[in-house]
């Protein structure tokens, strides 16, 4: 009787196992994880809007540069992208809509330097439209459509007329906004308002916002780019899991990474009740008041102070994490989610499987 070493015995068992699998008509595959597809959003149609306009002309990068970074990342991931954004900066417009007049979607032919060829391979070419309130040509000083206007126009008529899309897009993305949209000012946000307009039309939506630099007056390109590249991977993960939903919008706020400190892991948060930006009104005449904006300080007992334990602002500013929160158009207190299992699955994805910065 011949002896067999433990190693030979293990190899023999492995061979027997492979033979049994083959006999059963099952193919044995290697267990090495496969690399994610290079273009994970291929075949997906995405509408992008914002509340910062499509100009991208200011040195501070506060007037739409983030939109072009988002467009760039989505096209690089394989999506077909069309942009319809406000003609002028519309920050703070919330869900406001225009109830009369004529809207014109004017295509931008000269794009900001460095972004001209980002979507050259996309079927729609990454077309960028600015939407103004005018019957005809949009001039430099023409009044603008609101963020919600742009989404409603695009979904109800504009995409079909301008891009030939006969069906709704798979997803609406808004942003990337200059300054985070957290806590009490979420209600004021045109970025979030445009995303809410999309889910009102039964189209999934995600609103992206980025922190500025330490001065809160400039918005480095590196912050937008990190947010956009995270966003493309985040959307790909949702898509692969079948978690793109119009039950609610998702709000993604990205921290400042311009100093070299990377963003920490995403956090599932709630919209806070405090405030980060405070509106002050100083009397300048008998019936006139000048509007002033300032950043709040966390002083216990004052209206600015955050009291929600899992607040988006705390995760973003205190912890340096990517703050993600669900936002619904139904503001009824105590309302139940129509499909709570979807909310739970997305939360689990954010907390365990979403990209880490």
């Amino acid at each position: 009787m011949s002896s067999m070493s433990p190693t030979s015995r293990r190899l023999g068992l492995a061979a027997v196992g492979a033979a049994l699998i083959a006999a059963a008509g099952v193919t044995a595959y290697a267990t090495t994880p496969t690399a994610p597809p290079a273009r994970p959003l291929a075949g997906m149609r995405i509408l992008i809007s914002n509340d910062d306009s499509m100009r991208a002309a200011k040195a501070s990068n506060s007037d739409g540069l983030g939109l072009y970074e988002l467009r760039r990342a989505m096209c690089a991931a394989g999506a077909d992208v069309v942009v319809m954004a406000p003609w002028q900066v519309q920050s703070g417009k919330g869900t406001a809509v225009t109830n009369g007049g004529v809207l014109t979607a004017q295509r931008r032919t000269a794009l900001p330097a460095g972004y001209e060829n980002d979507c050259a391979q996309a079927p729609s070419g990454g077309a960028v439209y600015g939407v103004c309130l005018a019957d005809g040509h949009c001039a430099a000083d023409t009044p603008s459509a609101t963020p919600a206007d742009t989404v409603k126009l695009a979904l109800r008529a504009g995409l079909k007329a301008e891009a030939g899309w006969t069906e709704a897009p798979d997803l609406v993305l808004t942003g990337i906004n200059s300054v985070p949209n957290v806590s009490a000012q979420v209600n004021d946000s045109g970025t979030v308002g445009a995303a809410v307009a999309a889910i009102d039309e039964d189209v999934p939506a995600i609103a992206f916002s980025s922190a500025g630099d330490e001065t809160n007056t400039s918005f480095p390109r590196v912050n937008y780019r990190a947010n956009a590249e995270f966003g493309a991977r985040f959307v790909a993960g949702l898509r692969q899991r079948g978690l793109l939903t119009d039950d609610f919008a998702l709000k993604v706020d990205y921290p400042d990474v311009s100093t070299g400190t990377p963003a920490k892991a995403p956090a599932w948060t709630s919209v806070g009740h405090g405030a980060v930006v405070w509106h002050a009104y100083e009397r300048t005449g008998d019936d006139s008041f000048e509007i002033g904006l300032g950043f709040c300080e966390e002083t216990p007992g004052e209206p600015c102070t955050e009291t929600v334990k899992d607040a988006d602002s705390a995760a973003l500013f205190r912890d340096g994490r990517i703050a993600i929160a669900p936002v619904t158009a139904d503001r009824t207190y105590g309302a139940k989610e129509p499909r709570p299992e979807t909310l739970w699955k997305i939360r689990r994805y954010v907390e365990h499987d979403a990209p880490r910065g």
Side-chain angles (χ1 to χ4, degrees), residues 6-314:
T7 301
S8 299
R9 196 177 297 119
R10 286 195 296 271
L11 291 172
L13 289 172
V16 171
L20 290 173
I21 290 172
V26 179
T27 304
Y29 292 96
T31 57
T32 304
T34 58
R39 293 168 64 82
L41 303 184
M44 194 173 188
R45 293 177 306 160
I46 296 177
L47 168 68
I48 298 180
S49 188
N50 68 0
D51 72 357
D52 285 337
S53 83
M54 30 55 76
R55 293 178 178 269
K58 293 183 179 179
S60 64
N61 297 332
S62 63
D63 63 338
L65 186 72
L67 179 151
Y68 291 96
E69 285 292 334
L70 196 59
R71 172 181 174 271
R72 169 186 172 273
M74 296 301 152
C75 284
D80 188 16
V81 174
V82 172
V83 172
M84 284 197 180
W87 182 250
Q88 310 278 10
V89 173
Q90 294 287 287
S91 183
K93 295 295 184 180
T95 56
V97 293
T98 305
N99 290 329
V102 177
L103 295 175
T104 292
Q106 183 164 303
R107 185 164 183 174
R108 181 169 184 175
T109 54
L111 299 182
Y115 296 97
E116 301 94 339
N117 299 315
D118 288 339
C119 300
Q121 303 305 314
S124 301
V128 176
Y129 297 87
V131 185
C132 70
L133 184 58
D135 188 357
H137 179 72
C138 302
D141 58 352
T142 303
S144 180
T146 70
D149 282 338
T150 67
V151 171
K152 290 177 183 290
L153 170 66
L155 297 181
R156 296 180 184 179
L159 286 172
K160 181 178 180 180
E162 302 292 345
W165 290 6
T166 57
E167 297 179 354
D170 301 295
L171 180 65
V172 172
L173 302 179
T174 63
I176 299 169
N177 191 62
S178 57
V179 306
N181 280 304
V182 293
S183 298
Q185 61 259 39
V186 168
N187 284 334
D188 302 332
S189 167
T191 306
V192 176
V196 169
I199 61 172
D200 281 345
E201 299 290 324
D202 302 321
V203 179
I206 306 174
F208 290 93
S209 301
S210 280
D213 64 8
E214 293 178 346
T215 69
N216 292 307
T217 59
S218 184
F219 302 91
R221 189 188 306 265
V222 65
N223 286 356
Y224 291 136
R225 181 153 296 186
N227 194 346
E229 292 180 351
F230 166 82
R233 290 178 287 132
F234 182 69
V235 170
L238 290 171
R239 184 193 193 196
Q240 290 162 4
R241 291 163 175 78
L243 295 177
L244 292 171
T245 179
D246 58 14
D247 288 346
F248 49 87
L250 288 173
K251 183 178 70 69
V252 178
D253 290 276
Y254 207 88
D256 177 23
V257 296
S258 63
T259 60
T261 301
K264 295 181 181 177
W268 184 257
T269 66
S270 297
V271 176
H273 293 174
V276 176
V277 175
W278 183 259
H279 290 72
Y281 306 91
E282 182 177 352
R283 191 167 187 167
T284 59
D286 290 343
D287 302 306
S288 301
F289 299 82
E290 182 178 0
I291 302 169
L293 291 177
F295 288 90
C296 293
E297 295 183 6
E298 287 281 322
T299 304
E302 292 190 356
C304 286
T305 304
E306 188 55 73
T307 57
V308 176
K309 290 183 179 180
D310 62 345
D312 45 9
S313 58

